[in-house]
Amino acid sequence: MRILGTGVALGAAALTVSLGLLASPAQAAPVLPAGNAPTCVTVWEKVGTITKTGYARNDCGRTLNLKIIWAHGTDGSCQTVRAGGTISSKVPRGIRSFDGADLC
């Protein structure tokens, strides 16, 4: 009886783990820049309760002119970003989606 109980317990544990993996929320995938900024520009987005903000950090060894791009609306302004610098653009939450950064 002890062996049967162990087997049932292990089966139930495996099922619980499997269901837990299916039910857990997906990890946020890194944002792949859709813009034409070079690959040495790192982009990411932070979503708040009311707004969302797109960021672009210049990890290149030179100064670049960059802007944050958004789908379904106006992009961020063109800004000069020195090596190591970061720009951001904030928009209201809604249908707008973050599309990375463009050279401008």
Side-chain angles (χ1 to χ4, degrees):
M1 183 142 55
R2 187 180 223 174
I3 294 172
L4 178 59
T6 304
V8 171
L10 289 175
L15 180 60
T16 301
V17 169
S18 296
L19 291 175
L21 291 175
L22 292 175
S24 64
Q27 293 288 333
V31 176
L32 299 176
N36 66 11
T39 57
C40 55
V41 173
T42 303
V43 297
W44 69 97
E45 176 185 30
K46 288 187 180 177
V47 178
T49 306
I50 298 171
T51 61
K52 49 184 144 184
T53 307
Y55 297 89
R57 183 180 61 237
N58 179 1
D59 293 329
C60 306
R62 63 189 188 282
T63 299
L64 298 172
N65 290 323
L66 297 171
K67 67 178 179 177
I68 302 296
I69 52 174
W70 297 97
H72 313 295
T74 305
D75 296 334
S77 62
C78 185
Q79 300 176 48
T80 301
V81 189
R82 294 178 189 246
T86 301
I87 63 168
S88 64
S89 173
K90 185 180 287 192
V91 297
R93 286 188 61 173
I95 64 168
R96 312 272 312 265
S97 59
F98 179 63
D99 280 346
D102 268 350
L103 292 173
C104 52

